[in-house]
Amino acid sequence: MATTIEYLNAVHGDLLDAAKREARAGRRPPARWVPSTGMVAAVVGVLVLAGLIGVIARSDGFGSDDAGQSAAGRAGGTGATGAPAGVLPETVPGLGDDQTIHGNGGQGPPAVSRVIRTAELAIVIPRDAFDERFGEAVDVAEEQGGFVADSRSRNRSGSLTLRVPAANFDQTLHALRALGTVEVESVHGEDVTADYVDLHANLRIARARREVLLGLMADAVSIEQTIRVQNALDETQLRIEQLQGQLRLLDDRTSLATIGLRLREQGVEPESEVEKASIPNAFERAAAGFVGVIAAIVIGLGYLIPILLIGLAAWFVVSRLRRRRTV
Amino acid sequence: MNEGGVHEGLDDAELILRSSREPELFGLLFERHAEAMLAYFARRTLDAESAAELVAETFAEAFSSRRRFRDEGVDGAGWLYGIGKHLLSRYFRAGAVEARARRRLGMPERTVSDDDYDRIEELIDFERFGEALAEAMSVLPEEQREAVRLRVVDERSYREVAAALECTEPTARMRVSRGLRRIAGVLETDPSEAPIELERRRWQRRSST
């Protein structure tokens, strides 16, 4: 380097050293933009903040969802238990001709809305009270005219599936809540009135068809005619039985509400979660968690981006003004 | 230099382009332009140390971003001085030379020796500024103006300046350096926006009240 200025000679050496380091490392030269630690920290900070905001925003959303569901459940409840006016006009006159399809004491035609009511309750009970409270839960079901459809217990925790008349659904829940501290409660109501009406209409048509076929049977003159009518009659009869079966099922599910009850003593791990701790489940939960985090970040960014843009604009204006003032 | 022989015939743009595969070729670019650039910065900053640092930072920045260079219209030197100009304006705004590019490359920060001070100030060629300099000097605080006059106009050594001002040599150097920096601000930018001008107004306001 042909200069007498030592500083330049030194920098020349430094520059060649840097070049040699780069050549030795055999890597591409540093990208034109190397993010500094501060920049990385800022980006991570923004993402974490976005995630937190997203989680808060989503948990709010879930809260209102839950409220909506239980409200729907309760609204449906009054529909099934009583006879609210005008929920469903009597559009299907004459459907109740055949009382036999109403297996549960002949509740009549579906002039009112039909709702399948289900509830999930998780209750924490005091220590050493499991047997007693488990028994009480069974008593509650029986007092309300229902029964225990399924029960399991292990290690001072257990679960019960109770079936109670839809009319006593709310009272049953009320009584069950008194067993301990409610940990989880969700109430669900599914309106199946339309299905019910459809089934009844199809049933009426099938019955009418059977009547016609029976008439033809009586009029049949040849063996061939008789066999053909008989086949059609068999099909129709089968169809009628299927429809009746479906109606009976629907009847059962709407007239009897289902309550899933989980009981556990304080300090005892919830039974279901112990069972769920398997590897495939872990992957499933990890995947769901990942998607959840990304979703939360996206939601959070939605909240943050406008604020960041405003902040950026403000910073730009302020730095402009300051520069003009100081320079 | 060893790269010299084979690559001497390459122009700046070719040198920069080839340096992306052969990084050491960048040293040749430094040899060609460093001293002229030092003079360029010295005349604008009127400060030997800042000028030297600006050269180092400009080449470090250019080295880091040499892959961005496209041989389209701007020749190699133009590109280099473009980076330099950018850093110079940042220097005038911040009052200090950045060291970001040098740090990124792991280059140490060098200090300017006493001999270098003299040599770099020779590059400034103060006579060229003539009247502008004299006028700019009038706005300096007394002690800085005196230091600058002794050093720049009377061309005395720092030891003599220190003796005349009855202070230590480093103090004398600092006064000259600060005075020149302010003057550089006046000469480089629109006078109404120069920090020196604002400073002067503030000073006048203070002295008039």
Side-chain angles (χ1 to χ4, degrees):
Chain A
M1 177 96 198
T3 175
T4 51
I5 297 168
E6 295 159 30
Y7 187 96
L8 291 186
N9 285 322
V11 171
H12 184 248
D14 295 340
L15 204 57
L16 286 177
D17 284 347
K20 276 179 196 148
R21 275 197 295 275
E22 193 187 291
R24 223 182 5 249
R27 60 183 161 79
R28 294 168 70 84
R32 50 175 270 208
W33 184 77
V34 178
S36 64
T37 321
M39 186 80 83
V40 171
V43 170
V44 169
V46 166
L47 288 182
V48 168
L49 189 61
L52 287 176
I53 290 175
V55 167
I56 292 166
R58 283 214 317 183
S59 65
D60 277 359
F62 284 156
S64 54
D65 232 31
D66 260 2
Q69 258 186 18
S70 34
R74 269 169 211 133
T78 51
T81 52
V87 173
L88 185 83
E90 296 201 30
T91 52
V92 281
L95 278 183
D97 299 350
D98 193 342
Q99 292 293 319
T100 56
I101 64 158
H102 302 295
N104 291 290
Q107 288 177 3
V112 297
S113 57
R114 292 278 180 167
V115 178
I116 297 173
R117 313 200 64 199
T118 52
E120 288 290 331
L121 264 181
I123 291 176
V124 180
I125 53 180
R127 283 180 188 281
D128 300 323
F130 178 72
D131 292 335
E132 182 196 330
R133 299 294 160 95
F134 199 83
E136 278 177 31
V138 176
D139 291 344
V140 167
E142 282 167 1
E143 276 164 23
Q144 299 293 337
F147 58 94
V148 176
D150 186 31
S151 83
R152 263 190 309 173
S153 71
R154 192 179 67 179
N155 275 346
R156 292 180 294 139
S157 74
S159 58
L160 287 160
T161 306
L162 307 179
R163 302 294 311 273
V164 293
N168 298 342
F169 183 71
D170 291 322
Q171 293 97 296
T172 310
L173 279 183
H174 187 71
L176 291 175
R177 282 189 204 110
L179 290 175
T181 314
V182 177
E183 202 175 24
V184 179
E185 178 175 348
S186 71
V187 180
H188 188 71
E190 187 190 350
D191 194 328
V192 292
T193 314
D195 299 341
Y196 209 81
V197 171
D198 281 350
L199 283 174
H200 267 285
N202 288 340
L203 187 59
R204 194 178 57 171
I205 291 163
R207 285 213 182 96
R209 186 177 154 87
R210 187 174 61 184
E211 292 308 315
V212 172
L213 287 171
L214 284 173
L216 284 175
M217 187 77 149
D219 297 341
V221 287
S222 69
I223 292 174
E224 197 201 338
Q225 274 180 348
T226 311
I227 290 172
R228 281 167 102 189
V229 174
Q230 186 63 52
N231 283 346
L233 203 55
D234 285 350
E235 270 176 38
T236 308
Q237 187 60 37
L238 191 67
R239 174 94 180 117
I240 288 170
E241 276 162 22
Q242 279 174 345
L243 290 169
Q244 282 177 338
Q246 286 173 17
L247 271 172
R248 225 171 277 131
L249 183 69
L250 217 51
D251 247 342
D252 172 72
R253 291 181 65 196
T254 54
S255 58
L256 286 175
T258 308
I259 299 172
L261 175 66
R262 277 176 288 150
L263 289 173
R264 68 177 176 94
E265 278 188 13
Q266 218 154 17
V268 176
E269 278 293 298
E271 191 191 354
S272 56
E273 278 180 31
V274 174
E275 282 175 355
K276 275 184 180 174
S278 61
I279 293 294
N281 218 288
F283 280 122
E284 215 166 86
R285 282 172 64 177
F290 177 74
V291 172
V293 167
I294 298 295
I297 288 176
V298 170
I299 293 169
L301 281 178
Y303 282 78
L304 269 184
I305 284 172
I307 296 169
L308 287 178
L309 285 179
I310 292 168
L312 209 65
W315 173 81
F316 183 73
V317 169
V318 167
S319 65
R320 258 287 161 89
L321 286 177
R322 194 178 294 164
R323 192 176 305 161
R324 191 160 293 173
R325 209 164 289 154
T326 55
V327 173
Chain B
M1 294 303 295
N2 52 359
E3 312 96 307
V6 190
H7 301 291
E8 206 63 64
L10 297 176
D11 70 17
D12 293 337
E14 286 168 329
L15 214 51
I16 296 168
L17 290 173
R18 289 184 65 162
S19 72
S20 65
R21 284 177 180 280
E22 300 165 69
E24 289 178 35
L25 283 184
F26 215 77
L28 206 57
L29 202 70
F30 188 85
E31 283 176 41
R32 284 185 191 173
H33 296 288
E35 196 160 331
M37 188 174 274
L38 182 61
Y40 167 88
F41 284 135
R43 286 183 196 123
R44 280 159 183 78
T45 61
L46 301 182
D47 179 55
E49 192 154 2
S50 302
E53 281 194 55
L54 277 166
V55 173
E57 185 68 11
T58 300
F59 275 93
E61 179 63 51
F63 182 76
S64 294
S65 48
R66 65 191 193 278
R67 280 173 173 261
R68 264 194 295 168
F69 174 75
R70 297 282 175 273
D71 193 8
E72 294 162 352
V74 183
D75 65 356
W79 176 72
L80 214 51
Y81 275 85
I83 294 171
K85 239 176 137 175
H86 181 66
L87 289 173
L88 184 66
S89 67
R90 303 252 288 240
Y91 160 77
F92 278 124
R93 278 209 301 273
V97 182
E98 286 177 6
R100 205 184 295 168
R102 277 172 289 169
R103 270 203 296 272
R104 199 161 52 203
L105 291 177
M107 288 168 66
E109 286 190 40
R110 302 278 179 184
T111 49
V112 177
S113 69
D114 288 353
D115 288 344
D116 275 357
Y117 253 98
D118 294 336
R119 291 190 199 108
I120 295 170
E121 284 182 0
E122 275 169 29
L123 293 173
I124 296 175
D125 190 9
F126 283 113
E127 281 173 30
R128 288 176 13 150
F129 293 105
E131 269 182 37
L133 186 62
E135 194 169 310
M137 271 175 60
S138 68
V139 300
L140 291 182
E142 180 69 35
E143 58 180 23
Q144 285 179 13
R145 184 170 55 219
E146 197 52 33
V148 171
R149 179 175 297 133
L150 285 166
R151 173 69 189 158
V152 176
V153 182
D154 301 343
E155 296 185 328
R156 311 267 284 273
S157 72
Y158 278 113
R159 183 175 302 177
E160 288 171 314
V161 174
L165 296 177
E166 294 175 343
C167 65
T168 61
E169 238 186 278
T171 308
R173 201 192 295 285
M174 196 185 70
R175 285 186 192 168
V176 173
S177 164
R178 286 192 180 162
L180 288 177
R181 253 194 230 191
R182 288 187 165 192
I183 291 171
V186 176
L187 297 179
E188 178 68 17
T189 56
D190 177 358
S192 64
E193 285 194 2
I196 180 68
E197 188 63 18
L198 294 169
E199 193 63 33
R200 190 169 64 93
R201 279 188 221 135
R202 213 171 292 147
W203 185 71
Q204 279 178 343
R205 221 178 298 136
R206 211 178 304 146
S207 59
S208 65
T209 50

